[in-house]
Amino acid sequence: QVQVVESGGGLVQPGGSLRLSCTASGSIFSINAMGWYRQAPGKQRELVATLTSGTTTNYADSVKGRFTISRDNAKNTVYLQMNSLKPEDTAVYYCNANVRRLGFPGSNYYWGQGTQVTVSS
């Protein structure tokens, strides 16, 4: 039983900033990695940024230099700081966590419900 919940979405003007957060909870032994994905109307869901427990990061080319992913391991929480936002950043943002559960071998992926980010003047 693992739950992933995002928050922090909203409406911002171009050039503005927004910070998303995502918390995983439940029967968790450890979290191997957490990441952010987004899906705009008419487009496929795409990877935005990922962060492993070992602090390795990956960013989509479209957000590199503007977005920063970070993690609070004690809280099982990952953040996405979004700066210099553009209208093309408008999408539903989803959090994904690769989780090892207590008493179970291996790991599995869990998705959050998504949070809407709208960038418009």
Side-chain angles (χ1 to χ4, degrees), residues 41-90:
K43 297 182 65 178
Q44 294 182 340
R45 187 173 298 185
E46 64 177 350
L47 185 149
V48 177
T50 60
L51 177 62
T52 68
S53 182
T55 70
T56 300
T57 59
N58 285 291
Y59 294 94
D61 289 341
S62 60
V63 307
K64 195 171 185 178
R66 299 187 297 119
F67 291 9
T68 302
I69 188 170
S70 61
R71 185 174 174 181
D72 185 337
N73 291 326
K75 297 180 178 180
N76 289 332
T77 298
V78 67
Y79 305 93
L80 185 68
Q81 179 65 48
M82 304 184 293
N83 299 324
S84 302
L85 283 163
K86 305 174 181 179
E88 50 263 45
D89 294 318
T90 296

Side-chain angles (χ1 to χ4, degrees), residues 14-32:
S17 297
L18 207 60
R19 192 192 194 204
L20 307 182
S21 63
C22 169
T23 299
S25 61
S27 301
I28 297 173
F29 175 75
S30 64
I31 299 177
N32 296 322

